[in-house]
Amino acid sequence: MSLTVIAECLAAPGYEDRLRTALEAMIEPSVEEPGCLAYHPYADPNEPARMVVVEEWADAQALDAHFTTAHFHHVRQVLERVLAEPMTIRKLVAAPGA
């Protein structure tokens, strides 16, 4: 069963561009990972400091492997410096009968 991940980020004032750049830099290496089905960052048009990444993974093991990659460790370090609050991560599966 695939796993959808929604990661919500809020940039600290003045770090909106750095957040967007960091999340966009994650697209290519993430979609090249085994088990990554999709990786899409989105910006809130009404609040440019808020971004959401919607990811789809083949399974929880693929997501766990993602968390061990060099590019994930790098972006985590960047996010520690540019976020106004901790990132929120939600892991979702298809609803029964969907």
Side-chain angles (χ1 to χ4, degrees):
M1 176 184 310
S2 69
L3 183 65
T4 299
V5 175
I6 300 178
E8 298 182 53
C9 303
L10 179 65
Y15 287 97
E16 297 86 357
D17 287 340
R18 184 65 184 108
L19 173 60
R20 183 174 42 260
T21 300
L23 295 179
E24 288 174 351
M26 289 291 291
I27 297 169
E28 187 175 334
S30 295
V31 297
E32 290 177 354
E33 292 178 49
C36 182
L37 307 175
Y39 185 99
H40 303 286
Y42 297 93
D44 184 332
N46 299 311
E47 189 178 358
R50 186 163 306 278
M51 291 194 71
V52 174
V53 180
V54 179
E55 309 169 34
E56 187 173 359
W57 297 89
D59 52 36
Q61 292 79 14
L63 178 61
D64 290 343
H66 171 66
F67 292 146
T68 68
T69 63
H71 54 273
F72 181 82
H73 286 288
H74 173 74
V75 79
R76 187 173 64 194
Q77 291 175 347
V78 171
L79 295 180
E80 287 174 2
R81 295 190 302 269
V82 304
L83 292 183
E85 59 190 37
M87 178 172 40
T88 303
I89 298 176
R90 284 186 266 165
K91 299 175 185 175
L92 307 168
V93 295

